[in-house]
Amino acid sequence: MAQRPYIVGNWKMNGTRAMLSEARAVDRAAQRHMKVEVALAPPYTLIHAVHREVEQIWVGAQDCSPNPDGAHTGDISVPMIADAGAKFVILGHSERRQGYGETNELVREKADAALEGGLRVIICCGETLETREAGKAEAFVAEQLKASLPKLEDAGEKVTVAYEPIWAIGTGKTATVDDIAAMHSMIRTLLIETYGEEQGAEVRVLYGGSVKPENAGEILGTPEVGGALVGGASLSAETFMNIALAAGDTVEG
Ligand code: PEP
């Protein structure tokens, strides 16, 4: 059975308890639109509060430590975020890869720790504008994913990939539908090579980068696009759920 589109909001470093009303509004709307699976990744400080406020949507974290505990000042472990109510974690976001020098190997270590701790993972990948203009985007993303993806038997259920061209994040620019289709098709082939025919076909591949209600229908209707990772537009429940509605419209029935 085809999976429901997966629409994930990444609040990044935004939000205090005043934002809980937005999370509640997203949850209420998600209960009316069951054709779509909806998730929010608030900052660590709000995971528990959002988890307590919602019934329908998934709540997750934006990162985690590869270590379970110990002398790692400032870090947050998988057991901690799971205890707060997180069910998934976003890993390898370009803002962490670029801002904190996170390598593919570290992303993979974090993914192993998250899966071990019972969380699902969203593994982000994506090229810079320079790499795209050099015609090397697909080769770059393939290498990035090969080294970042965790190895496991039941990846279909536990692993999601988010393709986010770095030049499209927060810039208002989006990749063309043809470029998105080509990249997602390459990623699908790689997932099948990595996880086998059945599991590799089930891993959802999200698109991220300036997704808005206005462009969501076209992007989400592209072959192999299983949903969206949404940054800026997820900070308003109304805008975010309009993206989810557009995703629902791409589903038959
Ligand atoms: C993101 O940060 O994952 C993202 C896609 O951001 P935006 O939607 O703001 O481009």
Side-chain angles (χ1 to χ4, degrees):
M1 198 183 86
Q3 284 169 305
R4 294 183 289 165
Y6 190 27
I7 306 297
V8 184
N10 170 15
W11 282 4
K12 310 194 186 195
M13 198 176 71
N14 296 292
T16 59
R17 284 177 294 161
M19 279 284 284
L20 291 176
S21 55
E22 295 301 308
R24 278 194 297 271
V26 166
D27 190 60
R28 278 196 304 272
Q31 292 178 33
R32 295 194 299 275
H33 302 295
M34 300 291 283
K35 282 202 280 188
V36 183
E37 213 170 322
V38 179
L40 281 179
Y44 290 129
T45 48
L46 288 179
I47 291 173
H48 189 236
V50 172
H51 164 69
R52 287 177 58 129
E53 295 284 341
V54 301
E55 289 173 16
Q56 177 65 31
I57 65 171
W58 296 90
V59 182
Q62 301 168 19
D63 186 32
C64 68
S65 168
N67 303 299
D69 52 31
H72 304 285
T73 302
D75 284 1
I76 310 277
S77 71
V78 169
M80 289 169 178
I81 56 178
D83 182 56
K87 296 286 186 285
F88 72 93
V89 59
I90 298 171
L91 295 171
H93 191 282
S94 63
E95 286 155 15
R96 298 214 58 85
R97 290 181 185 266
Q98 293 201 312
Y100 299 92
E102 288 199 3
T103 60
N104 295 327
E105 291 66 34
L106 180 59
V107 173
R108 165 107 182 255
E109 264 184 66
K110 290 182 176 191
D112 289 340
L115 291 162
E116 173 77 30
L119 299 183
R120 296 176 182 207
V121 295
I122 299 178
I123 308 289
C124 301
C125 58
E127 80 286 354
T128 60
L129 188 56
E130 203 183 6
T131 303
R132 175 151 291 275
E133 286 176 346
K136 296 179 181 159
E138 287 185 30
F140 177 85
V141 168
E143 283 315 303
Q144 205 178 31
L145 275 180
K146 276 184 205 160
S148 303
L149 285 173
K151 299 279 173 282
L152 74 166
E153 298 289 312
D154 50 352
E157 191 181 313
K158 295 181 177 166
V159 176
T160 297
V161 168
Y163 166 58
E164 303 201 297
I166 295 171
W167 48 271
I169 296 180
T171 57
K173 295 180 190 159
T174 48
T176 65
V177 166
D178 286 351
D179 286 344
I180 295 174
M183 185 63 85
H184 280 238
S185 152
M186 182 284 288
I187 293 173
R188 179 65 62 207
T189 304
L190 191 145
L191 288 168
I192 286 171
E193 277 165 22
T194 308
Y195 295 124
E197 197 73 49
E198 196 181 316
Q199 293 295 317
E202 273 182 35
V203 172
R204 276 182 292 200
V205 185
L206 315 182
Y207 174 80
S210 298
V211 176
K212 302 182 195 68
E214 302 79 59
N215 59 21
E218 191 182 27
I219 293 172
L220 290 156
T222 306
E224 296 295 353
V225 175
L229 182 53
V230 183
S234 70
L235 294 172
S236 145
E238 191 184 347
T239 312
F240 183 54
M241 287 313 291
N242 279 335
I243 294 173
L245 283 184
D249 287 343
T250 66
V251 179
E252 283 171 29

